[in-house]
Amino acid sequence: PEFPSLRLLLDQAARTREDIPPLLGGPLLRAVVSGYPYPDALFAAVVRRIRADDRLDYPRACVLKGYLNRNLRMEVSMSLDTERPDPAYRLGRLFAALEKTQKDALGEGLNRTIRDSYYAAASATPRVAFPRLLRLYQHHLDKLDGGWRIARERLIQEILAPLGGFPAHLGLAEQGLFAIGYYHQTRDFYTKRGEAAADSTDGGAQE
């Protein structure tokens, strides 16, 4: 749903409902009703769950965005912000672009993507993970057709341009922003693909 329930938000904090810390519900309800800061423990738990099971979906993104906006006043947007300079956000975008290049080169039905293998390392220790990921990216890029390859290279260059290098470590809040950058860029890829498919269908109908 567009506005996840409290129960759905709490479910993002643990592998099973029985594992949710019992003291999270009250502070979360108070934050929603009274405008108090969201519980630090909820944000930390969701970041850990993302790293543990490599899953980042809308409810988890809602938790991260709400915390970063309200607690840290980061003013995170609802959708992709190509002008945002924060290294953590750009690294999340970069990770999404590298993963999409892998899928475009090898197919969507991969048993294991770079997200499955490298998300935890990339979001916590970028200086260790990204040099290897960029080497893999060159291998995947060579498999793309000319137009797609040029477009992807331009995107990677645009993302990397403001970065002076890869940080050695990202703190917990930065890991949350990394996740948001990854989520925004991934959603943008598939939104554009859906729009292109719709345009193609409309064109065929008109013909």
Side-chain angles (χ1 to χ4, degrees), residues 10 13 33 45 50 70 77 85 95 101 111 135-136 140 171 181 196:
L10 285 172
V33 172
I50 294 170
R70 181 177 295 183
S77 64
F95 191 81
T101 304
N111 290 329
R135 289 194 294 271
L136 289 173
H140 297 144

Side-chain angles (χ1 to χ4, degrees), residues 22 31 34 48 84 100 119 156-157 191:
S34 304
R48 287 195 299 269
R84 193 176 188 100
K100 187 64 167 60
Y119 182 91
I156 296 295
Q157 291 170 8
T191 299

Side-chain angles (χ1 to χ4, degrees), residues 6 21 25 32 40 44 46 88 118 135 146 199:
L6 290 180
V32 170
D40 294 337
V46 170
Y118 292 102
R135 289 194 294 271
D199 290 343

Side-chain angles (χ1 to χ4, degrees), residues 21-207:
L23 298 181
L24 271 184
L28 177 59
L29 177 61
R30 184 168 63 249
V32 170
V33 172
S34 304
Y36 284 19
Y38 290 109
D40 294 337
L42 177 62
F43 177 81
V46 170
V47 170
R48 287 195 299 269
R49 289 310 311 159
I50 294 170
R51 293 184 58 187
D53 60 24
D54 300 313
R55 179 171 64 84
L56 177 55
D57 52 18
Y58 181 71
R60 290 183 175 184
C62 286
V63 172
L64 301 180
K65 179 180 180 296
Y67 180 92
L68 294 173
N69 276 347
R70 181 177 295 183
N71 293 43
L72 303 183
R73 309 210 178 273
M74 285 190 174
E75 298 183 7
V76 178
S77 64
M78 293 290 291
S79 58
L80 180 64
D81 183 356
T82 59
E83 301 300 319
R84 193 176 188 100
D86 307 66
Y89 185 82
R90 287 195 167 260
L91 290 173
R93 290 184 60 202
L94 176 61
F95 191 81
L98 299 180
E99 180 190 35
K100 187 64 167 60
T101 304
Q102 180 193 39
K103 290 181 176 180
D104 289 344
L106 305 180
E108 290 280 348
L110 295 172
N111 290 329
R112 192 168 184 82
T113 68
I114 65 169
R115 181 183 66 186
D116 302 316
S117 301
Y118 292 102
Y119 182 91
S123 64
T125 54
R127 190 176 296 172
V128 173
F130 274 100
R132 178 173 176 79
L133 289 171
L134 288 172
R135 289 194 294 271
L136 289 173
Y137 159 73
Q138 289 298 329
H139 173 70
H140 297 144
L141 189 69
D142 290 340
K143 296 180 181 297
L144 298 185
D145 293 335
W148 288 104
R149 184 166 61 248
I150 292 171
R152 191 57 48 80
E153 277 279 68
R154 286 176 176 170
L155 174 62
I156 296 295
Q157 291 170 8
E158 177 264 313
I159 295 172
L160 284 172
L163 297 175
F166 297 117
H169 301 280
L170 295 181
L172 194 64
E174 292 171 314
Q175 290 178 39
L177 194 57
F178 177 102
I180 292 293
Y182 170 82
Y183 179 77
H184 281 171
Q185 186 66 64
T186 299
R187 189 173 66 171
D188 186 71
F189 281 134
Y190 290 98
T191 299
K192 287 180 177 177
R193 187 177 72 173
E195 291 172 349
D199 290 343
S200 175
T201 302
D202 292 342
Q206 291 170 0
E207 292 173 0

